[in-house]
Amino acid sequence: VGEDSAAFELGEQKLSSWAYFTAILGAVLVALNILWINPSTGFGTAYIDAVSGLSPSPEVVLLLLIVIFAIVHSGLASLRDAGEELIGERAYRVLFAGISLPLAVSTIVYFINHRYDGTQLWQLQSVFGLHELVWFSSFISFFFLYPSTFNLLEVAAVDKPKLHLWETGIIRITRHPQMIGQVIWCLAHTLWIGNSVAVATSVGLIVHHIFGVWNGDRRLALRYGQTFEVLKSRTSIIPFAAILDGRQKLPKDYYKEFLRLPYLTITGLTLGAYFAHPLMQASSFRLHW
């Protein structure tokens, strides 16, 4: 009853749409740098200073940053129907991204800069095979974390944004892949870093995504009614649970649902992010957030 996720037909793509997407992405990055990241012109430093001034503890500050982001992000998501009716789908997508993105960047940069500041709880980095386990877990987590890459043109409001009811691909494994991906990423990085900052970050992110599971199902139920209930009955939140108990029937060519450009794009971006870690760390350190 749902939609085919990650479907991408090259022949149906318009060069003008992707040119527009590239221009919008460039404009967003420039605006983000000028209005938020650049210490001389942006508000990011003042925001971090204000939150950091509430507590000397990096654990508390990180939790506060996550809570602020969660309230704004989930709050705007919950108000989506009313907001789109008021100002339109594309305008609301721009508003949503324009507020959420700077808060997300600030939280990520603060975590990178303070990830080793907490109390060390365990030290397992020398354990044989742990680096490979953490690397593989992090790699897999991104296939769950970013289902929004299925519709990049909607993310940038080039195409009209929609609240999708996905049913194929990774949705057969879990109805809430972003939450599962976040849990995998958090467990892997907490195991590797092993301190109180990593634990606090993981607790904050996982709690936010668990709330997102409830809120996401609620919004889909309101939008799609009985259609969503049918989809819900044959999918599961816990990975593979619906498959194992027979509620989800996999087609013989199920693997083909992953042999699509969006998943290949995720693979490339994930590998790129791994090799870009030193650049990300250096750029974050220069901000002194």
Side-chain angles (χ1 to χ4, degrees), residues 184-201:
I184 295 172
W185 186 94
C186 285
L187 292 179
H189 282 74
T190 301
L191 182 64
W192 180 256
I193 297 172
N195 66 13
S196 55
V197 169
V199 171
T201 302

Side-chain angles (χ1 to χ4, degrees), residues 15-281:
L15 185 60
S16 58
S17 295
W18 287 103
Y20 191 27
F21 169 81
T22 303
I24 290 176
L25 179 62
V28 167
L29 293 178
V30 170
L32 180 66
N33 181 61
I34 294 174
L35 298 176
W36 195 261
I37 296 176
N38 192 317
S40 61
T41 59
F43 296 96
T45 300
Y47 170 66
I48 291 294
D49 288 345
V51 178
S52 300
L54 298 175
S55 174
S57 167
E59 296 90 343
V60 173
V61 174
L62 259 171
L63 284 173
L64 287 173
L65 290 172
I66 292 171
V67 167
I68 293 170
F69 170 78
I71 291 173
V72 171
H73 189 268
S74 295
L76 288 174
S78 299
L79 295 172
R80 178 173 177 171
D81 288 345
E84 288 181 344
E85 185 176 347
L86 184 63
I87 63 176
E89 293 91 339
R90 286 186 171 89
Y92 196 78
R93 170 70 72 176
V94 172
L95 176 67
F96 181 86
I99 297 176
S100 299
L101 184 59
L103 299 178
V105 168
S106 297
T107 306
I108 292 169
V109 170
Y110 188 90
F111 170 75
I112 292 174
N113 286 344
H114 297 272
R115 67 194 185 282
Y116 290 120
D117 287 355
T119 301
Q120 198 68 37
L121 303 174
W122 58 82
Q123 186 70 48
L124 303 176
Q125 294 182 3
S126 61
V127 173
F128 175 77
L130 183 64
H131 179 269
E132 289 73 18
L133 175 63
V134 170
W135 188 95
F136 180 74
S137 299
S138 299
F139 180 79
I140 292 298
S141 74
F142 278 81
F143 285 93
F144 291 88
L145 267 169
Y146 293 108
S148 60
T149 54
F150 295 159
N151 289 278
L152 283 177
L153 294 181
E154 289 185 28
V155 173
V158 176
D159 289 344
K160 182 183 292 187
K162 303 174 183 177
L163 184 62
H164 291 276
L165 190 66
W166 303 122
E167 189 173 12
T168 65
I170 207 162
I171 304 302
R172 298 185 189 273
I173 298 174
T174 171
R175 191 168 67 253
H176 289 281
Q178 190 165 1
M179 184 273 287
I180 298 301
Q182 188 67 78
V183 170
I184 295 172
W185 186 94
C186 285
L187 292 179
H189 282 74
T190 301
L191 182 64
W192 180 256
I193 297 172
N195 66 13
S196 55
V197 169
V199 171
T201 302
S202 293
V203 169
L205 289 174
I206 291 173
V207 169
H208 169 48
H209 280 78
I210 289 174
F211 171 79
V213 167
W214 171 82
N215 197 33
D217 279 357
R218 181 188 65 83
R219 292 167 59 217
L220 287 172
L222 288 173
R223 176 67 64 91
Y224 293 104
Q226 184 58 34
T227 303
F228 170 69
E229 295 303 325
V230 172
L231 176 64
K232 184 179 179 181
S233 69
R234 58 192 186 205
T235 56
S236 61
I237 297 172
I238 299 174
F240 301 104
I243 297 173
L244 294 175
D245 64 22
R247 289 183 290 120
Q248 175 63 233
K249 305 295 184 182
L250 295 180
K252 292 182 179 180
D253 57 351
Y254 171 59
Y255 69 93
K256 292 182 180 178
E257 296 179 359
F258 289 92
L259 300 180
R260 292 172 167 176
L261 185 60
Y263 288 111
L264 296 177
T265 302
I266 292 171
T267 302
L269 291 176
T270 302
L271 292 173
Y274 172 75
F275 290 112
H277 265 57
L279 177 61
M280 294 164 59
Q281 293 166 8

